[in-house]
Amino acid sequence: MRHPRGHFPGVFVLANELAAQGRLTEEQYRFWRAGNDWYDAHYPNPTHVDPSVYDPALHPGAVAWFKASAQELIARVNGYLELLAAHGVECRRLESSDPGRILYEDAYQVVVAAEGGRGER
């Protein structure tokens, strides 16, 4: 399903929305909270570096992609996929050598402007 900002959201946005809507079981909530805390502790949050990176007026459709080299971070996504599947939320993995115009980059990820259909999830 397309996000109100015009792009297809990634697994973290989808899981965060389920949590915000109160749809997670207690066990799922613990997994989600622990997973988000782990990611927050192990990789930079682009908005802490550039608060405007996801600004819908400046960068409509901006989305984050893990770099292929971020295997430890990618491997932990499986639990989120299981959580989404348990709620009937469809999700699929996308890979791209050209996801869009880079707005932010660090050792683990890029945030891109999804221009011309690239960068959509």
Side-chain angles (χ1 to χ4, degrees):
M1 178 189 322
R2 198 173 284 274
H3 192 272
R5 286 182 34 206
H7 65 281
F8 291 97
V11 295
F12 299 107
V13 169
L14 294 169
N16 291 350
E17 288 177 355
L18 287 174
Q21 295 165 1
R23 295 177 53 195
L24 302 180
T25 66
E26 188 174 319
E27 181 181 336
Q28 290 170 336
Y29 185 88
R30 279 194 306 272
F31 164 81
W32 168 80
R33 182 71 270 150
N36 282 8
D37 289 346
W38 185 91
Y39 277 103
D40 287 345
H42 288 86
Y43 80 95
N45 181 329
T47 59
H48 294 168
V49 177
D50 179 359
S52 71
V53 74
Y54 291 114
D55 184 318
L58 295 174
H59 309 293
V63 294
W65 292 67
F66 282 137
K67 291 182 175 182
S69 59
Q71 289 300 308
E72 182 181 15
L73 300 177
I74 294 168
R76 296 179 72 98
V77 171
N78 287 337
Y80 286 84
L81 297 176
E82 292 171 12
L83 179 112
L84 295 172
H87 289 272
V89 178
E90 289 187 38
C91 189
R92 60 187 173 133
R93 179 179 176 154
L94 296 179
E95 294 184 22
S96 176
S97 60
D98 185 18
R101 181 174 49 89
I102 296 175
L103 304 171
Y104 167 86
E105 182 172 11
D106 61 40
Y108 312 101
Q109 65 189 324
V110 295
V111 176
V112 299
E115 301 165 329
R118 296 177 307 181
E120 294 185 344
R121 295 178 183 251

